[in-house]
Amino acid sequence: MALAPHIYKMFANIVGSVNISDDPAILETYTFTWLNEFNNLCAPGKFLPHHPEAVLLPGSTEEVQAIVRACNRYGIKFKALSTGYGSHSLPGQPGVVVLDLRRMDRILEIDEKNKFAVVEPYVTWAQLEAEVIKRGLFTTPVQAGSQASVLANLTSGWGMNTFGNHGGHNGRNALGIEWVLPTGDLLKLGPPGEWFTGDGPGPSLRGVMRGHCGAQGGMGVFTKGAIKLHHWPGPPKLETEPGGMMTAYLLKEIPEFLEIVAPCFDTYEQMIDFFYQVGDAELAYAMMRVGGAEHMFSLMGAISNKEMYEQFYSTGLVQAMAEEMKHPCTVMIFANSRREFEYRKKVMSEIVKETGGKILEVMTEGPMKDIMMKQMPVALFGNCTLFIHHAGGFVISSGYMGTNESVVRHMGIPQEEIKGKWAKSGKILDDGADSTYYNSFENNAYVYMEMEFHYDASNPESVNASRQCLSDERNQRRLEKSGFEPNDIGLTCGDYEKSPQQRIMDMGPHYGNFHLWQERIKRAFDPNDVSDRSWYGAGLLTKDVKIK
Amino acid sequence: MNLKQEVGGLIGADRVSDDPEVIAALAGDMSFVPSRSPDLLAKPKGAKDIQGIVAWANQANVPLVPVSSGAPHSRGDTVPSVGGVVVDLSGMNEILRINRKNRVAVIETGVTFSQLIPELKKEGLRLNLPLAPRANKSVLASGLEREPVIIPRHHWDAADPLLCLEVVFGTGEVFQTGEASGPGGLQGQWQIGGAQKFPLGPHQVDYHKLIQGAQGTIGIATWASIKCELYPVIDKLYFLSDTRLERLIEVAYRLIRLDLGDEVFLLNNFTLASLLAPNREGIDKLVRTLPPWILVFTVCGYNRHPEEKVDYQEKDLFEITQKEGLTPGQSLGEVKAEVLLRVIRNASPEPYWKLRYGGENYELFFITTLNRVESFIPALREMAVQENYPASQIGIYIQPVVQGTSCHLGFDFPCPQGDAREKARIRGLIEKASLAFQKQGAFFSRPYGSWAQMVYSQNTEFVNAMKRVKGVFDPKNILNPGKLCF
């Protein structure tokens, strides 16, 4: 169903005729994204079933407001999109206009003294990082990659990031926010005209902004936002030179007081102990367990999947390394002075020894030494993400936020077993490791863990096997726990045999009926139900749920 | 049946009181909010009691005013606006868990600072404390009020150190927030290694942020998890003083930026004297020996090579202070660092330090940024002179918060006990300064008393949005009506 001509004209009047389109070829591109083939919303295939009615490119908050008000008047649904990442960033139902925010791409302010930056929705992590590093500050780029929107991560997506141990979780890094509510009203969180806080007066309306998973387009449009920054101990510019494989460039000079330490542990227990000890000692700028040997190699050593396979898998190197590096961790020490650097290195070395960590010689000598020190920092600072696409498709297991013990016990260990079973079947990629991403936040106050599955996106059998793999995990957990774990990111990502709405309906009763609370909030803030609710709360199904 | 019988029937006759003396004590506090008596005091034992009371109140249309700290209260948020039942949670005071490994405590609402601080110390932990809080102040309530805390680098978000909560909403429904949501309850979650550390969610709403700052208008908390920090093995406190704030603020910025030091805050001489001296005479005497402005910071070493950790921090710190031409010291006239260290690591001894000078104290505080602090202080002093209030008796406290992205700026105005004229004068001064400072960019993020009207009248959209939230969680406006914008 196309928009009525007068409605199209009205939108064109708001954004200008060059900033609106209902060309089918253009609209089709707004149905294509990572993970589509995985969701049964659209399977089989790479395209979501619902084309938007039109795509609008607003250039200002005022234009966003005008569009949203018009949507309310005419009962048209809308979904805002910035950089997009996954099916949840695109329309999940018919009759939706997309607000593509790519024209709103300015860094509005960098307050060096008070350590925050104010950005529009299409400012990416790479863009912000390049500017703040000149001023001795750094960001917390989302795991999705430096091509992703800063503001989306603060408000609309999850908020995990590689530098969380020192920089915190992005769900907690938001300060002032400008927000066009689903009604079209403009709400500013924090003091009018100021960005240094977003909490109050009185209760913090950041409470209805994002939660754990982000609003995912269901609560209006976020048009400006301030993010807390943190100190960058390095030089104002990182000089690079051609080289390396995956990143295609290397650090020319290793910043003073920077060191990457990569201990491996035989058991999860040892690794957990290590995380706690390093957290207590506040040593790490970044601290994570990045998969197994295959992750290490793909992160640092391969420019393409083919090359990756030929160099590392077919030679048996990955498999051999996986045996040696059962639980490989990566810790970045980045200090402000020689004295601090020496102290941190000394304590780190002590902790590695005490907790049974092994620093493999291969990692500290020869070519790997250069890779670790010159390419790994580039990969981490630049937040490269190509390494996760070995087989064309990948998906994560339900991820957990929580303590080290709880995430390992209820995700790491069972998931490893299940993945192994499906990898042996040959239907998903046997990548020789568990491909775990495990990241510490706020000096190990809590951690995030997810496990990756690589599948052949062009092969329905492989896609389906990945779904089955995740469902196995769900079923096992249900049997073990008669329910679900707190803060399972999989509230929207897991159990792909069901629709997102069915998943939420399943899980809500185990989590204090949060889905019903969200439905009440949705109705209060979006009385005309125009902000695409497909990925918010219980989505479409709960429309008819009786709320007492 | 009267109120007493009805509520007594729900929670036990021995847990309710309408004794005139008890009621009179609840009718007012040390603020400018007009006194008004409640009809009844109720002391629930747990979440079930609270649920019963809230359900009854919805049916009977009786307001409920939650209170958890001991007297004296000072911000008007516990003074009933329209009578009703004061729900006193101070008896729910069990420390449910202290977990060293995950650096967290789970406590009931009535647990006080004087109760929790020593218990944490036994486990090698401490709280990121407000500045020498009242001994009988509820730790949970302090978190709910977003009181500023003194270690900025551990203050990652405005919500810290409050993490997860159990709350009875105004609808009467019980809910657990953040990581605490989900099956198993506290015990079940502890058994699987959980510790209620992750505060966001569940899913797409941060419920704890809606309850915080709400002055009891959204829900009544029954327990919460509180983020704790390690207790230092070596602890050194330093003073850095100057006649002007400018250089001290520059040093404070650098310390916070580089994560050097633990506690970091700035005081004027009157506030420092009030923290240390036992009475008015002592404060007057001590003030005269102190420089106008003092930056206080601590350098701590923990379990691993504490001496070396302290050593590198001291050397790095001293380089920073030297650049500003300042030298830190461990004494300031007759004031010794270890004495102040004891003060800031504990709850205030009685009388509460803000009450030692006059017997009463009135507050003006807001959020701004460190580089703007100096624009407010001369203006306040000028207004004080105009109102004939002695500027030298104004306590000033500057606390960097949220890792230095903003700061709390607080002014204390001591007042002779029972002096209505002086109280009125201070009220006039605070109201005048509040209006002026709001225009100047001060953010009254915790709008107690008349600040609510001042702040909300300037922000219609925020009020509309908050009313939507209120409609979801307390649709009959049972909880503390008359506060904020409700």
Side-chain angles (χ1 to χ4, degrees):
Chain A
M1 184 185 72
L3 288 179
H6 70 285
I7 301 282
Y8 187 90
K9 193 175 167 192
M10 173 192 66
F11 284 137
N13 279 337
I14 294 170
V15 294
S17 57
V18 295
N19 291 314
I20 182 169
S21 178
D22 61 358
D23 181 333
I26 298 289
L27 299 185
E28 186 80 346
T29 65
Y30 288 87
T31 66
F32 178 86
T33 183
W34 164 62
L35 211 60
N36 278 351
E37 74 284 348
F38 205 85
N39 283 300
N40 68 355
L41 284 172
C42 51
K46 271 282 188 188
F47 295 88
L48 287 167
H50 307 300
H51 288 83
E53 302 302 312
V55 176
L56 287 73
L57 275 61
S60 67
T61 301
E62 292 71 27
E63 288 183 10
V64 171
Q65 270 193 283
I67 294 165
V68 172
R69 284 187 175 134
C71 286
N72 274 275
R73 173 171 290 267
Y74 295 101
I76 298 164
K77 296 185 192 309
F78 67 88
K79 174 113 179 180
L81 162 75
S82 53
T83 47
Y85 195 64
S87 316
H88 42 270
S89 58
L90 296 174
Q93 57 179 312
V96 175
V97 295
V98 165
L99 277 67
D100 183 335
L101 304 170
R102 68 182 59 228
R103 290 173 64 213
M104 298 171 71
D105 61 354
R106 295 172 302 161
I107 298 171
L108 299 171
E109 180 184 344
I110 297 172
D111 186 329
E112 282 181 55
K113 270 196 169 310
N114 299 303
K115 295 193 300 180
F116 64 81
V118 185
V119 297
E120 290 188 326
Y122 206 77
V123 170
T124 64
W125 290 102
Q127 191 183 342
L128 182 63
E129 188 176 310
E131 291 304 317
V132 300
I133 201 172
K134 295 175 195 165
R135 296 159 171 86
L137 293 165
F138 201 59
T139 62
T140 39
V142 64
Q143 287 165 210
S146 284
Q147 82 291 346
S149 156
V150 175
L151 187 55
N153 199 223
L154 293 184
T155 60
S156 305
W158 287 269
M160 273 63 83
N161 70 84
T162 302
F163 291 92
N165 190 66
H166 178 73
H169 186 280
N170 284 328
R172 283 160 54 80
N173 282 338
L175 301 171
I177 298 286
E178 183 187 86
W179 178 3
V180 176
L181 294 174
T183 53
D185 296 328
L186 187 65
L187 178 65
K188 169 68 180 33
L189 303 187
E194 303 282 359
W195 298 96
F196 53 78
T197 181
D199 296 285
S204 175
L205 284 173
R206 279 173 65 194
V208 283
M209 183 179 85
R210 59 154 292 141
H212 175 212
C213 299
Q216 303 191 21
M219 279 296 268
V221 188
F222 302 98
T223 47
K224 294 185 182 85
I227 178 170
K228 177 161 59 101
L229 303 170
H230 58 276
H231 184 62
W232 166 255
K237 189 178 178 190
L238 285 174
E239 298 287 348
T240 56
E241 60 189 2
M245 284 186 264
M246 153 116 185
T247 52
Y249 52 89
L250 298 165
L251 280 184
K252 211 169 179 177
E253 280 182 34
I254 300 164
E256 208 180 6
F257 314 141
L258 180 141
E259 182 160 290
I260 304 282
V261 183
C264 306
F265 298 91
D266 291 334
T267 66
Y268 267 128
E269 288 75 17
Q270 289 175 326
M271 186 197 84
I272 287 172
D273 191 19
F274 174 77
F275 268 62
Y276 275 115
Q277 299 295 334
V278 175
D280 276 359
E282 300 181 51
L283 299 179
Y285 204 72
M287 176 160 69
M288 69 207 81
R289 176 193 191 270
V290 185
E294 63 86 30
H295 247 143
M296 287 281 189
F297 283 112
S298 57
L299 180 67
M300 299 174 297
I303 202 162
S304 68
N305 290 336
K306 184 170 179 289
E307 194 173 303
M308 164 90 182
Y309 183 81
E310 285 172 356
Q311 285 195 354
F312 301 127
Y313 279 99
S314 62
T315 58
L317 187 57
V318 165
Q319 292 83 340
M321 290 297 291
E323 278 302 306
E324 276 296 305
M325 303 167 66
K326 183 62 184 153
H327 298 286
C329 297
T330 304
V331 183
M332 179 185 284
I333 295 174
F334 206 176
N336 297 303
S337 69
R338 169 71 53 200
R339 290 181 282 260
E340 184 179 273
F341 190 46
E342 296 303 329
Y343 173 83
R344 289 190 182 205
K345 282 198 299 181
K346 176 180 173 175
V347 175
M348 179 64 73
S349 166
E350 189 176 281
I351 292 173
V352 169
K353 274 186 202 144
E354 279 178 21
T355 53
K358 293 180 289 187
I359 307 281
L360 299 183
E361 203 174 303
V362 68
M363 304 296 278
T364 56
E365 297 300 330
M368 277 305 285
K369 183 183 176 186
D370 256 12
I371 287 175
M372 286 304 288
M373 289 306 296
K374 290 189 168 179
Q375 193 162 341
M376 179 67 107
V378 171
L380 292 177
F381 293 141
N383 208 29
C384 301
T385 54
L386 290 172
F387 68 97
I388 50 183
H389 293 277
H390 311 318
F394 94 97
V395 68
I396 60 165
S397 65
S398 48
Y400 282 150
M401 302 293 304
T403 64
N404 293 268
E405 284 99 336
S406 63
V407 300
V408 165
R409 177 172 172 173
H410 294 287
M411 214 221 76
I413 294 168
Q415 194 77 311
E416 195 176 336
E417 201 176 293
I418 291 165
K419 182 178 174 183
K421 185 185 91 180
W422 282 95
K424 273 186 195 149
S425 79
K427 290 176 182 169
I428 65 170
L429 179 72
D430 183 359
D431 53 12
D434 54 26
S435 298
T436 295
Y437 183 83
Y438 186 106
N439 193 22
S440 165
F441 290 89
E442 301 179 17
N443 287 317
N444 202 44
Y446 48 91
V447 295
Y448 170 69
M449 186 178 198
E450 67 183 30
M451 197 172 283
E452 289 150 16
F453 303 88
H454 307 278
Y455 59 86
D456 181 351
S458 63
N459 178 350
E461 199 184 2
S462 182
V463 173
N464 199 42
S466 289
R467 285 196 196 128
Q468 289 288 334
C469 185
L470 280 188
S471 297
D472 277 2
E473 177 224 345
R474 288 282 164 183
N475 291 336
Q476 177 162 330
R477 196 166 312 142
R478 281 192 187 112
L479 286 172
E480 280 181 352
K481 294 297 303 166
S482 306
F484 308 90
E485 295 306 318
N487 268 324
D488 177 348
I489 193 180
L491 283 170
T492 54
C493 269
D495 211 352
Y496 286 87
E497 292 204 311
K498 293 184 174 181
S499 74
Q501 292 77 37
Q502 284 170 323
R503 293 174 221 156
I504 298 293
M505 297 291 280
D506 278 354
M507 295 195 181
H510 298 275
Y511 289 81
N513 283 321
F514 74 85
H515 60 310
L516 300 183
W517 284 109
Q518 274 193 230
E519 183 60 24
R520 295 177 205 183
I521 290 169
K522 174 75 173 165
R523 291 181 186 192
F525 279 79
D526 186 8
N528 295 321
D529 196 17
V530 288
S531 190
D532 185 359
R533 57 161 57 226
S534 309
W535 292 87
Y536 186 83
L540 302 172
L541 284 186
T542 342
K543 273 184 81 174
D544 301 311
V545 167
K546 191 177 173 192
I547 307 290
K548 66 177 177 180
Chain B
M1 203 183 281
N2 62 26
L3 274 185
K4 190 178 176 184
Q5 287 170 323
E6 288 190 36
V7 181
L10 294 168
I11 65 170
D14 58 333
R15 295 195 160 265
V16 295
S17 173
D18 57 2
D19 180 282
E21 268 186 43
V22 171
I23 295 299
L26 298 168
D29 70 355
M30 203 180 293
S31 73
F32 305 121
V33 171
S35 294
R36 197 154 294 152
S37 296
D39 302 300
L40 191 73
L41 170 70
K43 292 189 164 189
K45 297 185 292 288
K48 276 193 179 162
D49 279 356
I50 297 170
Q51 260 195 296
I53 294 171
V54 174
W56 164 83
N58 270 279
Q59 214 163 28
N61 195 24
V62 174
L64 302 176
V65 181
V67 179
S68 45
S69 304
H73 301 284
S74 58
R75 292 169 188 154
D77 50 329
T78 57
V79 177
S81 300
V82 284
V85 178
V86 167
V87 182
D88 181 354
L89 307 162
S90 60
M92 291 168 56
N93 60 357
E94 195 181 336
I95 298 169
L96 301 172
R97 189 191 202 207
I98 294 174
N99 182 231
R100 158 64 184 84
K101 193 170 195 179
N102 289 297
R103 307 190 299 259
V104 67
V106 183
I107 54 169
E108 287 191 326
T109 314
V111 171
T112 62
F113 281 107
S114 61
Q115 183 186 353
L116 186 58
I117 291 168
E119 294 304 317
L120 287 176
K121 194 173 175 185
K122 287 179 198 164
E123 301 293 328
L125 293 173
R126 61 171 164 156
L127 292 168
N128 191 355
L129 284 167
L131 185 62
R134 262 179 23 239
N136 62 356
K137 175 82 182 178
S138 153
V139 177
L140 193 153
S142 174
L144 283 178
E145 291 179 48
R146 291 199 301 262
E147 288 195 321
V149 287
I150 56 181
I151 312 177
R153 70 188 177 86
H154 288 317
H155 196 223
W156 298 77
D157 181 88
D160 285 346
L162 191 76
L163 298 171
C164 305
L165 290 157
E166 180 177 84
V167 62
V168 180
F169 287 128
T171 57
E173 290 152 288
V174 182
F175 194 80
Q176 292 88 29
T177 70
E179 191 188 340
S181 169
L186 285 175
Q187 293 287 346
Q189 291 173 15
W190 295 338
Q191 277 168 18
I192 63 162
Q196 297 84 38
K197 280 297 294 279
F198 184 63
L200 303 188
H203 208 34
Q204 290 162 307
V205 176
D206 286 325
Y207 298 87
H208 69 304
K209 283 193 166 282
L210 299 172
I211 303 154
Q212 244 183 347
Q215 298 181 20
T217 60
I218 298 292
I220 301 177
T222 64
W223 55 254
S225 55
I226 307 288
K227 197 175 189 182
C228 301
E229 311 301 338
L230 296 185
Y231 203 94
V233 174
I234 298 179
D235 229 355
K236 287 187 175 179
L237 183 143
Y238 283 98
F239 300 105
L240 202 62
S241 61
D242 202 358
T243 50
R244 291 181 304 126
L245 258 178
E246 193 181 351
R247 289 193 296 177
L248 299 180
I249 284 177
E250 281 309 309
V251 173
Y253 266 126
R254 288 306 294 167
L255 301 192
I256 293 164
R257 178 79 170 256
L258 299 177
D259 280 347
L260 288 169
D262 279 22
E263 285 90 347
V264 180
F265 53 87
L266 299 111
L267 308 168
N268 74 343
N269 49 10
F270 189 83
T271 297
L272 182 57
S274 301
L275 280 163
L276 296 170
N279 52 37
R280 184 182 185 112
E281 292 70 35
I283 294 169
D284 277 335
K285 192 177 159 201
L286 187 54
V287 165
R288 287 195 289 273
T289 70
L290 296 173
W293 292 105
I294 304 105
L295 168 65
V296 177
F297 61 87
T298 61
V299 181
C300 304
Y302 295 89
N303 300 344
R304 292 182 180 272
H305 307 290
E307 296 86 0
E308 288 173 49
K309 173 140 188 164
V310 167
D311 182 61
Y312 89 70
Q313 288 189 89
E314 282 178 333
K315 286 176 176 152
D316 288 357
L317 274 159
F318 294 168
E319 279 180 9
I320 292 167
T321 58
Q322 271 165 14
K323 274 185 194 161
E324 293 294 334
L326 298 166
T327 308
Q330 290 192 284
S331 62
L332 201 59
E334 63 187 74
V335 175
K336 301 293 175 212
E338 58 268 24
V339 177
L340 183 62
L341 192 57
R342 271 200 302 276
V343 168
I344 65 170
R345 287 285 160 77
N346 288 291
S348 170
E350 290 298 329
Y352 178 47
W353 64 272
K354 291 194 182 194
L355 306 181
R356 288 176 198 162
Y357 195 79
E360 289 180 24
N361 183 73
Y362 298 93
E363 299 173 315
L364 164 61
F365 54 79
F366 50 85
I367 300 284
T368 180
T369 53
L370 269 180
N371 53 340
R372 294 189 225 190
V373 159
E374 285 182 285
S375 66
F376 295 106
I377 294 166
L380 182 76
R381 285 184 168 146
E382 201 174 304
M383 283 184 253
V385 170
Q386 286 166 9
E387 299 290 325
N388 289 324
Y389 185 87
S392 61
Q393 288 175 18
I394 300 173
I396 304 177
Y397 167 46
I398 303 160
Q399 180 61 63
V401 294
V402 194
Q403 300 187 317
T405 50
S406 56
C407 76
H408 161 98
L409 176 54
F411 301 95
D412 287 307
F413 301 85
C415 175
Q417 199 155 17
D419 187 337
R421 236 174 109 178
E422 188 66 358
K423 180 177 173 180
R425 189 154 59 138
I426 294 171
R427 179 181 186 166
L429 172 57
I430 289 177
E431 287 180 353
K432 185 176 169 185
S434 301
L435 277 169
F437 289 170
Q438 181 172 244
K439 281 184 193 153
Q440 214 177 307
F443 184 48
F444 290 78
S445 63
R446 301 157 60 206
Y448 295 100
S450 62
W451 289 336
Q453 169 67 19
M454 180 186 83
V455 168
Y456 291 127
S457 64
Q458 303 295 309
N459 202 335
T460 317
E461 240 352 285
F462 190 90
V463 170
N464 288 342
M466 268 317 304
K467 284 184 174 171
R468 292 173 206 264
V469 170
K470 178 77 168 174
V472 168
F473 294 102
D474 183 26
K476 292 194 175 174
N477 200 10
I478 293 303
L479 297 177
N480 216 1
K483 306 302 178 194
L484 300 174
C485 52
F486 310 129

